[in-house]
Amino acid sequence: MSQRNVLGTVYDGIPAPVTAIPTGFPTTEGSLLMALVLAVDEAADRADVDAFVERHRFVPRDQTSRAVDSQARWTRERDGRVSVTFLADDGVSSMLIPVGPEMDRWAALARTSGGTVAVMMTYGVPADLDVMRRHLGPQGGPYWHLSVGCVPV
């Protein structure tokens, strides 16, 4: 897994091909859960995906993930880009998402909602927001997730 630039987003050490989808989901408490979905294409090596989620302590959808247990953080850089860094004992994986109105809104909502976001990883699910919402919904399919806290710049 090497560094790649896909539609302006730079991925380093993340299984490929992958698309980052910024979104949010309503919760049963009436708040908003901000999420960054990493939709890994089925062309990616499944062993790479499994190694990535294990190395960075992602958990399956039926388990609880806490930001305090994770070594991943996100931040809004001074130039407006959003960076997500996944630390592990054997190295670092990261992604840098370019400036744009969609990321501006996502980052603002994420910070207003407390700063912690869910990074969700799917495998073999099309990177289409409607398909993804059904897959990640209550009756949907498998995914891994990790709570990622915000580090202010």
Side-chain angles (χ1 to χ4, degrees):
M1 291 181 281
S2 60
Q3 186 176 35
R4 296 164 325 283
N5 185 319
V6 180
L7 300 175
T9 299
V10 178
Y11 300 94
D12 190 7
I14 297 175
V18 62
T19 303
I21 304 170
T23 189
F25 300 95
T27 66
T28 55
E29 295 84 33
S31 62
L32 189 62
L33 170 66
M34 298 309 295
L36 186 61
V37 180
L38 302 178
V40 180
D41 190 274
E42 63 188 10
D45 185 341
R46 179 58 190 255
D48 286 346
V49 174
D50 292 341
F52 180 84
V53 298
E54 182 177 334
R55 179 172 48 254
H56 297 294
R57 302 181 186 159
F58 280 69
V59 297
R61 77 177 293 151
D62 62 341
Q63 294 181 22
T64 301
S65 175
R66 301 180 326 147
V68 71
D69 296 332
S70 116
Q71 292 187 27
R73 298 292 177 258
W74 76 275
T75 194
R76 181 79 185 261
E77 302 293 339
R78 293 191 193 286
D79 64 3
R81 295 178 299 172
V82 171
S83 66
V84 182
T85 306
F86 304 93
L87 301 175
D89 294 336
D90 61 350
V92 176
S93 298
S94 64
M95 60 189 195
L96 191 57
I97 304 169
V99 177
E102 186 174 308
M103 284 312 297
D104 291 345
R105 285 188 295 275
W106 181 88
L109 283 167
R111 291 182 96 176
T112 327
S113 301
T116 299
V117 302
V119 174
M120 301 170 162
M121 181 170 272
T122 63
Y123 178 74
V125 180
D128 173 81
L129 196 51
D130 290 330
V131 171
M132 198 58 65
R133 284 188 178 139
R134 284 191 299 276
H135 184 83
L136 299 173
Q139 306 302 317
Y143 64 86
W144 303 271
H145 63 112
L146 182 68
S147 289
V148 178
C150 178
V151 176
V153 173

PDB file of all heavy atoms in Angstrom, residues 55-84:
ATOM      1  N   ARG A  55      -4.687  -3.676  12.454  1.00  0.00           N
ATOM      2  CA  ARG A  55      -3.563  -2.831  12.870  1.00  0.00           C
ATOM      3  C   ARG A  55      -4.046  -1.538  13.530  1.00  0.00           C
ATOM      4  O   ARG A  55      -3.471  -1.060  14.491  1.00  0.00           O
ATOM      5  CB  ARG A  55      -2.685  -2.509  11.661  1.00  0.00           C
ATOM      6  CG  ARG A  55      -1.498  -1.614  11.961  1.00  0.00           C
ATOM      7  CD  ARG A  55      -0.525  -1.465  10.792  1.00  0.00           C
ATOM      8  NE  ARG A  55      -1.117  -1.157   9.505  1.00  0.00           N
ATOM      9  CZ  ARG A  55      -1.252  -2.017   8.496  1.00  0.00           C
ATOM     10  NH1 ARG A  55      -0.821  -3.254   8.606  1.00  0.00           N
ATOM     11  NH2 ARG A  55      -1.804  -1.652   7.362  1.00  0.00           N
ATOM     12  N   HIS A  56      -5.139  -0.981  13.016  1.00  0.00           N
ATOM     13  CA  HIS A  56      -5.614   0.312  13.524  1.00  0.00           C
ATOM     14  C   HIS A  56      -6.815   0.186  14.459  1.00  0.00           C
ATOM     15  O   HIS A  56      -7.451   1.191  14.784  1.00  0.00           O
ATOM     16  CB  HIS A  56      -5.901   1.253  12.363  1.00  0.00           C
ATOM     17  CG  HIS A  56      -4.660   1.554  11.582  1.00  0.00           C
ATOM     18  ND1 HIS A  56      -3.605   2.253  12.108  1.00  0.00           N
ATOM     19  CD2 HIS A  56      -4.291   1.207  10.326  1.00  0.00           C
ATOM     20  CE1 HIS A  56      -2.648   2.350  11.209  1.00  0.00           C
ATOM     21  NE2 HIS A  56      -3.036   1.713  10.121  1.00  0.00           N
ATOM     22  N   ARG A  57      -7.111  -1.027  14.877  1.00  0.00           N
ATOM     23  CA  ARG A  57      -8.116  -1.302  15.923  1.00  0.00           C
ATOM     24  C   ARG A  57      -9.547  -0.920  15.556  1.00  0.00           C
ATOM     25  O   ARG A  57     -10.322  -0.477  16.406  1.00  0.00           O
ATOM     26  CB  ARG A  57      -7.711  -0.631  17.234  1.00  0.00           C
ATOM     27  CG  ARG A  57      -6.369  -1.075  17.733  1.00  0.00           C
ATOM     28  CD  ARG A  57      -6.021  -0.410  19.018  1.00  0.00           C
ATOM     29  NE  ARG A  57      -4.657  -0.767  19.396  1.00  0.00           N
ATOM     30  CZ  ARG A  57      -3.932  -0.070  20.227  1.00  0.00           C
ATOM     31  NH1 ARG A  57      -4.426   1.000  20.791  1.00  0.00           N
ATOM     32  NH2 ARG A  57      -2.709  -0.437  20.506  1.00  0.00           N
ATOM     33  N   PHE A  58      -9.896  -1.091  14.285  1.00  0.00           N
ATOM     34  CA  PHE A  58     -11.297  -0.942  13.894  1.00  0.00           C
ATOM     35  C   PHE A  58     -12.069  -2.101  14.515  1.00  0.00           C
ATOM     36  O   PHE A  58     -11.501  -3.176  14.743  1.00  0.00           O
ATOM     37  CB  PHE A  58     -11.444  -1.023  12.373  1.00  0.00           C
ATOM     38  CG  PHE A  58     -11.105   0.246  11.636  1.00  0.00           C
ATOM     39  CD1 PHE A  58      -9.796   0.705  11.572  1.00  0.00           C
ATOM     40  CD2 PHE A  58     -12.091   0.956  10.972  1.00  0.00           C
ATOM     41  CE1 PHE A  58      -9.481   1.853  10.863  1.00  0.00           C
ATOM     42  CE2 PHE A  58     -11.779   2.111  10.258  1.00  0.00           C
ATOM     43  CZ  PHE A  58     -10.478   2.563  10.210  1.00  0.00           C
ATOM     44  N   VAL A  59     -13.354  -1.911  14.768  1.00  0.00           N
ATOM     45  CA  VAL A  59     -14.191  -2.983  15.306  1.00  0.00           C
ATOM     46  C   VAL A  59     -15.371  -3.222  14.366  1.00  0.00           C
ATOM     47  O   VAL A  59     -15.767  -2.318  13.624  1.00  0.00           O
ATOM     48  CB  VAL A  59     -14.694  -2.668  16.737  1.00  0.00           C
ATOM     49  CG1 VAL A  59     -13.526  -2.555  17.706  1.00  0.00           C
ATOM     50  CG2 VAL A  59     -15.545  -1.411  16.774  1.00  0.00           C
ATOM     51  N   PRO A  60     -15.950  -4.438  14.396  1.00  0.00           N
ATOM     52  CA  PRO A  60     -17.129  -4.714  13.564  1.00  0.00           C
ATOM     53  C   PRO A  60     -18.323  -3.869  14.003  1.00  0.00           C
ATOM     54  O   PRO A  60     -18.359  -3.354  15.126  1.00  0.00           O
ATOM     55  CB  PRO A  60     -17.413  -6.196  13.810  1.00  0.00           C
ATOM     56  CG  PRO A  60     -16.177  -6.749  14.425  1.00  0.00           C
ATOM     57  CD  PRO A  60     -15.503  -5.619  15.121  1.00  0.00           C
ATOM     58  N   ARG A  61     -19.309  -3.761  13.129  1.00  0.00           N
ATOM     59  CA  ARG A  61     -20.465  -2.892  13.367  1.00  0.00           C
ATOM     60  C   ARG A  61     -21.194  -3.182  14.672  1.00  0.00           C
ATOM     61  O   ARG A  61     -21.791  -2.290  15.243  1.00  0.00           O
ATOM     62  CB  ARG A  61     -21.427  -2.941  12.193  1.00  0.00           C
ATOM     63  CG  ARG A  61     -22.302  -4.177  12.131  1.00  0.00           C
ATOM     64  CD  ARG A  61     -23.302  -4.170  10.995  1.00  0.00           C
ATOM     65  NE  ARG A  61     -24.295  -3.150  11.183  1.00  0.00           N
ATOM     66  CZ  ARG A  61     -24.941  -2.530  10.205  1.00  0.00           C
ATOM     67  NH1 ARG A  61     -24.730  -2.842   8.956  1.00  0.00           N
ATOM     68  NH2 ARG A  61     -25.822  -1.599  10.462  1.00  0.00           N
ATOM     69  N   ASP A  62     -21.171  -4.405  15.167  1.00  0.00           N
ATOM     70  CA  ASP A  62     -21.918  -4.744  16.379  1.00  0.00           C
ATOM     71  C   ASP A  62     -21.136  -4.475  17.668  1.00  0.00           C
ATOM     72  O   ASP A  62     -21.607  -4.796  18.755  1.00  0.00           O
ATOM     73  CB  ASP A  62     -22.395  -6.191  16.325  1.00  0.00           C
ATOM     74  CG  ASP A  62     -21.249  -7.182  16.246  1.00  0.00           C
ATOM     75  OD1 ASP A  62     -20.129  -6.780  15.873  1.00  0.00           O
ATOM     76  OD2 ASP A  62     -21.479  -8.368  16.539  1.00  0.00           O
ATOM     77  N   GLN A  63     -19.946  -3.887  17.564  1.00  0.00           N
ATOM     78  CA  GLN A  63     -19.146  -3.554  18.746  1.00  0.00           C
ATOM     79  C   GLN A  63     -19.013  -2.039  18.867  1.00  0.00           C
ATOM     80  O   GLN A  63     -19.166  -1.309  17.901  1.00  0.00           O
ATOM     81  CB  GLN A  63     -17.765  -4.192  18.654  1.00  0.00           C
ATOM     82  CG  GLN A  63     -17.799  -5.707  18.717  1.00  0.00           C
ATOM     83  CD  GLN A  63     -16.399  -6.304  18.643  1.00  0.00           C
ATOM     84  OE1 GLN A  63     -15.415  -5.649  18.934  1.00  0.00           O
ATOM     85  NE2 GLN A  63     -16.323  -7.557  18.232  1.00  0.00           N
ATOM     86  N   THR A  64     -18.723  -1.582  20.085  1.00  0.00           N
ATOM     87  CA  THR A  64     -18.583  -0.153  20.351  1.00  0.00           C
ATOM     88  C   THR A  64     -17.132   0.270  20.195  1.00  0.00           C
ATOM     89  O   THR A  64     -16.232  -0.372  20.701  1.00  0.00           O
ATOM     90  CB  THR A  64     -19.065   0.166  21.791  1.00  0.00           C
ATOM     91  OG1 THR A  64     -20.433  -0.232  21.902  1.00  0.00           O
ATOM     92  CG2 THR A  64     -18.936   1.641  22.092  1.00  0.00           C
ATOM     93  N   SER A  65     -16.948   1.369  19.512  1.00  0.00           N
ATOM     94  CA  SER A  65     -15.620   1.949  19.328  1.00  0.00           C
ATOM     95  C   SER A  65     -15.576   3.276  20.080  1.00  0.00           C
ATOM     96  O   SER A  65     -16.510   4.069  19.988  1.00  0.00           O
ATOM     97  CB  SER A  65     -15.361   2.177  17.839  1.00  0.00           C
ATOM     98  OG  SER A  65     -14.145   2.845  17.652  1.00  0.00           O
ATOM     99  N   ARG A  66     -14.488   3.506  20.819  1.00  0.00           N
ATOM    100  CA  ARG A  66     -14.339   4.762  21.565  1.00  0.00           C
ATOM    101  C   ARG A  66     -13.075   5.478  21.097  1.00  0.00           C
ATOM    102  O   ARG A  66     -12.032   4.856  20.915  1.00  0.00           O
ATOM    103  CB  ARG A  66     -14.225   4.489  23.068  1.00  0.00           C
ATOM    104  CG  ARG A  66     -15.423   3.758  23.640  1.00  0.00           C
ATOM    105  CD  ARG A  66     -15.315   3.482  25.121  1.00  0.00           C
ATOM    106  NE  ARG A  66     -13.960   3.217  25.558  1.00  0.00           N
ATOM    107  CZ  ARG A  66     -13.495   3.565  26.767  1.00  0.00           C
ATOM    108  NH1 ARG A  66     -14.260   4.177  27.622  1.00  0.00           N
ATOM    109  NH2 ARG A  66     -12.255   3.274  27.102  1.00  0.00           N
ATOM    110  N   ALA A  67     -13.183   6.799  20.930  1.00  0.00           N
ATOM    111  CA  ALA A  67     -12.039   7.584  20.464  1.00  0.00           C
ATOM    112  C   ALA A  67     -10.856   7.452  21.411  1.00  0.00           C
ATOM    113  O   ALA A  67      -9.705   7.435  20.979  1.00  0.00           O
ATOM    114  CB  ALA A  67     -12.432   9.049  20.294  1.00  0.00           C
ATOM    115  N   VAL A  68     -11.130   7.318  22.697  1.00  0.00           N
ATOM    116  CA  VAL A  68     -10.044   7.210  23.676  1.00  0.00           C
ATOM    117  C   VAL A  68      -9.226   5.934  23.466  1.00  0.00           C
ATOM    118  O   VAL A  68      -8.049   5.881  23.806  1.00  0.00           O
ATOM    119  CB  VAL A  68     -10.604   7.313  25.113  1.00  0.00           C
ATOM    120  CG1 VAL A  68     -11.395   6.063  25.484  1.00  0.00           C
ATOM    121  CG2 VAL A  68      -9.508   7.582  26.114  1.00  0.00           C
ATOM    122  N   ASP A  69      -9.833   4.899  22.891  1.00  0.00           N
ATOM    123  CA  ASP A  69      -9.134   3.635  22.640  1.00  0.00           C
ATOM    124  C   ASP A  69      -8.375   3.631  21.320  1.00  0.00           C
ATOM    125  O   ASP A  69      -7.610   2.720  21.046  1.00  0.00           O
ATOM    126  CB  ASP A  69     -10.139   2.468  22.616  1.00  0.00           C
ATOM    127  CG  ASP A  69     -10.820   2.273  23.961  1.00  0.00           C
ATOM    128  OD1 ASP A  69     -10.203   2.609  24.991  1.00  0.00           O
ATOM    129  OD2 ASP A  69     -11.972   1.814  23.963  1.00  0.00           O
ATOM    130  N   SER A  70      -8.607   4.626  20.487  1.00  0.00           N
ATOM    131  CA  SER A  70      -8.015   4.620  19.151  1.00  0.00           C
ATOM    132  C   SER A  70      -6.778   5.513  19.112  1.00  0.00           C
ATOM    133  O   SER A  70      -6.622   6.428  19.898  1.00  0.00           O
ATOM    134  CB  SER A  70      -9.063   5.067  18.134  1.00  0.00           C
ATOM    135  OG  SER A  70      -8.730   6.239  17.503  1.00  0.00           O
ATOM    136  N   GLN A  71      -5.914   5.216  18.190  1.00  0.00           N
ATOM    137  CA  GLN A  71      -4.735   6.044  17.967  1.00  0.00           C
ATOM    138  C   GLN A  71      -4.885   6.776  16.637  1.00  0.00           C
ATOM    139  O   GLN A  71      -3.920   6.990  15.924  1.00  0.00           O
ATOM    140  CB  GLN A  71      -3.476   5.183  17.973  1.00  0.00           C
ATOM    141  CG  GLN A  71      -3.167   4.596  19.326  1.00  0.00           C
ATOM    142  CD  GLN A  71      -1.824   3.889  19.324  1.00  0.00           C
ATOM    143  OE1 GLN A  71      -0.929   4.201  18.563  1.00  0.00           O
ATOM    144  NE2 GLN A  71      -1.693   2.916  20.201  1.00  0.00           N
ATOM    145  N   ALA A  72      -6.097   7.141  16.335  1.00  0.00           N
ATOM    146  CA  ALA A  72      -6.381   7.877  15.100  1.00  0.00           C
ATOM    147  C   ALA A  72      -6.944   9.243  15.470  1.00  0.00           C
ATOM    148  O   ALA A  72      -7.654   9.384  16.462  1.00  0.00           O
ATOM    149  CB  ALA A  72      -7.385   7.107  14.251  1.00  0.00           C
ATOM    150  N   ARG A  73      -6.589  10.233  14.675  1.00  0.00           N
ATOM    151  CA  ARG A  73      -7.058  11.591  14.908  1.00  0.00           C
ATOM    152  C   ARG A  73      -7.315  12.275  13.577  1.00  0.00           C
ATOM    153  O   ARG A  73      -6.709  11.951  12.578  1.00  0.00           O
ATOM    154  CB  ARG A  73      -6.019  12.410  15.691  1.00  0.00           C
ATOM    155  CG  ARG A  73      -5.727  11.872  17.076  1.00  0.00           C
ATOM    156  CD  ARG A  73      -6.925  12.025  18.002  1.00  0.00           C
ATOM    157  NE  ARG A  73      -6.683  11.441  19.316  1.00  0.00           N
ATOM    158  CZ  ARG A  73      -7.139  10.269  19.726  1.00  0.00           C
ATOM    159  NH1 ARG A  73      -7.845   9.521  18.910  1.00  0.00           N
ATOM    160  NH2 ARG A  73      -6.901   9.841  20.937  1.00  0.00           N
ATOM    161  N   TRP A  74      -8.218  13.251  13.597  1.00  0.00           N
ATOM    162  CA  TRP A  74      -8.452  14.054  12.414  1.00  0.00           C
ATOM    163  C   TRP A  74      -8.275  15.522  12.782  1.00  0.00           C
ATOM    164  O   TRP A  74      -8.411  15.889  13.945  1.00  0.00           O
ATOM    165  CB  TRP A  74      -9.822  13.794  11.798  1.00  0.00           C
ATOM    166  CG  TRP A  74     -10.988  14.420  12.519  1.00  0.00           C
ATOM    167  CD1 TRP A  74     -11.661  13.902  13.588  1.00  0.00           C
ATOM    168  CD2 TRP A  74     -11.617  15.663  12.216  1.00  0.00           C
ATOM    169  NE1 TRP A  74     -12.667  14.750  13.967  1.00  0.00           N
ATOM    170  CE2 TRP A  74     -12.662  15.843  13.140  1.00  0.00           C
ATOM    171  CE3 TRP A  74     -11.401  16.647  11.250  1.00  0.00           C
ATOM    172  CZ2 TRP A  74     -13.496  16.957  13.127  1.00  0.00           C
ATOM    173  CZ3 TRP A  74     -12.228  17.767  11.244  1.00  0.00           C
ATOM    174  CH2 TRP A  74     -13.263  17.903  12.166  1.00  0.00           C
ATOM    175  N   THR A  75      -7.947  16.322  11.799  1.00  0.00           N
ATOM    176  CA  THR A  75      -7.801  17.751  12.028  1.00  0.00           C
ATOM    177  C   THR A  75      -8.121  18.521  10.753  1.00  0.00           C
ATOM    178  O   THR A  75      -8.020  17.993   9.652  1.00  0.00           O
ATOM    179  CB  THR A  75      -6.385  18.109  12.535  1.00  0.00           C
ATOM    180  OG1 THR A  75      -6.396  19.434  13.036  1.00  0.00           O
ATOM    181  CG2 THR A  75      -5.341  17.969  11.452  1.00  0.00           C
ATOM    182  N   ARG A  76      -8.523  19.745  10.943  1.00  0.00           N
ATOM    183  CA  ARG A  76      -8.714  20.682   9.835  1.00  0.00           C
ATOM    184  C   ARG A  76      -7.441  21.504   9.756  1.00  0.00           C
ATOM    185  O   ARG A  76      -7.121  22.249  10.671  1.00  0.00           O
ATOM    186  CB  ARG A  76      -9.925  21.559  10.120  1.00  0.00           C
ATOM    187  CG  ARG A  76     -10.258  22.560   9.048  1.00  0.00           C
ATOM    188  CD  ARG A  76     -11.003  21.835   7.928  1.00  0.00           C
ATOM    189  NE  ARG A  76     -11.265  22.707   6.818  1.00  0.00           N
ATOM    190  CZ  ARG A  76     -12.413  23.314   6.599  1.00  0.00           C
ATOM    191  NH1 ARG A  76     -13.420  23.142   7.432  1.00  0.00           N
ATOM    192  NH2 ARG A  76     -12.567  24.083   5.559  1.00  0.00           N
ATOM    193  N   GLU A  77      -6.685  21.325   8.699  1.00  0.00           N
ATOM    194  CA  GLU A  77      -5.410  22.017   8.540  1.00  0.00           C
ATOM    195  C   GLU A  77      -5.646  23.508   8.326  1.00  0.00           C
ATOM    196  O   GLU A  77      -6.735  23.923   7.962  1.00  0.00           O
ATOM    197  CB  GLU A  77      -4.631  21.424   7.361  1.00  0.00           C
ATOM    198  CG  GLU A  77      -4.348  19.940   7.463  1.00  0.00           C
ATOM    199  CD  GLU A  77      -3.394  19.581   8.596  1.00  0.00           C
ATOM    200  OE1 GLU A  77      -2.639  20.466   9.050  1.00  0.00           O
ATOM    201  OE2 GLU A  77      -3.412  18.419   9.025  1.00  0.00           O
ATOM    202  N   ARG A  78      -4.619  24.303   8.532  1.00  0.00           N
ATOM    203  CA  ARG A  78      -4.729  25.760   8.369  1.00  0.00           C
ATOM    204  C   ARG A  78      -5.161  26.162   6.955  1.00  0.00           C
ATOM    205  O   ARG A  78      -5.830  27.165   6.770  1.00  0.00           O
ATOM    206  CB  ARG A  78      -3.412  26.429   8.719  1.00  0.00           C
ATOM    207  CG  ARG A  78      -3.073  26.305  10.179  1.00  0.00           C
ATOM    208  CD  ARG A  78      -1.899  27.187  10.563  1.00  0.00           C
ATOM    209  NE  ARG A  78      -1.376  26.865  11.869  1.00  0.00           N
ATOM    210  CZ  ARG A  78      -1.944  27.165  13.025  1.00  0.00           C
ATOM    211  NH1 ARG A  78      -3.091  27.793  13.024  1.00  0.00           N
ATOM    212  NH2 ARG A  78      -1.387  26.833  14.166  1.00  0.00           N
ATOM    213  N   ASP A  79      -4.805  25.342   5.972  1.00  0.00           N
ATOM    214  CA  ASP A  79      -5.179  25.658   4.590  1.00  0.00           C
ATOM    215  C   ASP A  79      -6.573  25.128   4.225  1.00  0.00           C
ATOM    216  O   ASP A  79      -7.015  25.254   3.091  1.00  0.00           O
ATOM    217  CB  ASP A  79      -4.145  25.129   3.606  1.00  0.00           C
ATOM    218  CG  ASP A  79      -4.030  23.608   3.607  1.00  0.00           C
ATOM    219  OD1 ASP A  79      -4.798  22.931   4.325  1.00  0.00           O
ATOM    220  OD2 ASP A  79      -3.161  23.093   2.887  1.00  0.00           O
ATOM    221  N   GLY A  80      -7.284  24.516   5.195  1.00  0.00           N
ATOM    222  CA  GLY A  80      -8.644  24.041   4.976  1.00  0.00           C
ATOM    223  C   GLY A  80      -8.773  22.569   4.660  1.00  0.00           C
ATOM    224  O   GLY A  80      -9.869  22.011   4.710  1.00  0.00           O
ATOM    225  N   ARG A  81      -7.665  21.908   4.328  1.00  0.00           N
ATOM    226  CA  ARG A  81      -7.748  20.472   4.052  1.00  0.00           C
ATOM    227  C   ARG A  81      -8.032  19.719   5.345  1.00  0.00           C
ATOM    228  O   ARG A  81      -7.727  20.187   6.434  1.00  0.00           O
ATOM    229  CB  ARG A  81      -6.444  19.966   3.435  1.00  0.00           C
ATOM    230  CG  ARG A  81      -6.162  20.576   2.068  1.00  0.00           C
ATOM    231  CD  ARG A  81      -4.862  20.098   1.493  1.00  0.00           C
ATOM    232  NE  ARG A  81      -3.761  20.491   2.371  1.00  0.00           N
ATOM    233  CZ  ARG A  81      -2.505  20.079   2.215  1.00  0.00           C
ATOM    234  NH1 ARG A  81      -2.192  19.264   1.235  1.00  0.00           N
ATOM    235  NH2 ARG A  81      -1.569  20.486   3.037  1.00  0.00           N
ATOM    236  N   VAL A  82      -8.624  18.539   5.215  1.00  0.00           N
ATOM    237  CA  VAL A  82      -8.881  17.665   6.368  1.00  0.00           C
ATOM    238  C   VAL A  82      -7.892  16.507   6.309  1.00  0.00           C
ATOM    239  O   VAL A  82      -7.774  15.837   5.276  1.00  0.00           O
ATOM    240  CB  VAL A  82     -10.333  17.136   6.360  1.00  0.00           C
ATOM    241  CG1 VAL A  82     -10.535  16.073   7.425  1.00  0.00           C
ATOM    242  CG2 VAL A  82     -11.316  18.287   6.565  1.00  0.00           C
ATOM    243  N   SER A  83      -7.177  16.290   7.405  1.00  0.00           N
ATOM    244  CA  SER A  83      -6.251  15.151   7.457  1.00  0.00           C
ATOM    245  C   SER A  83      -6.735  14.161   8.508  1.00  0.00           C
ATOM    246  O   SER A  83      -7.256  14.548   9.552  1.00  0.00           O
ATOM    247  CB  SER A  83      -4.826  15.621   7.769  1.00  0.00           C
ATOM    248  OG  SER A  83      -4.755  16.167   9.064  1.00  0.00           O
ATOM    249  N   VAL A  84      -6.579  12.894   8.191  1.00  0.00           N
ATOM    250  CA  VAL A  84      -6.897  11.810   9.120  1.00  0.00           C
ATOM    251  C   VAL A  84      -5.633  10.965   9.230  1.00  0.00           C
ATOM    252  O   VAL A  84      -5.078  10.534   8.210  1.00  0.00           O
ATOM    253  CB  VAL A  84      -8.071  10.943   8.628  1.00  0.00           C
ATOM    254  CG1 VAL A  84      -8.401   9.866   9.646  1.00  0.00           C
ATOM    255  CG2 VAL A  84      -9.295  11.795   8.328  1.00  0.00           C
TER     256      VAL A  84
END
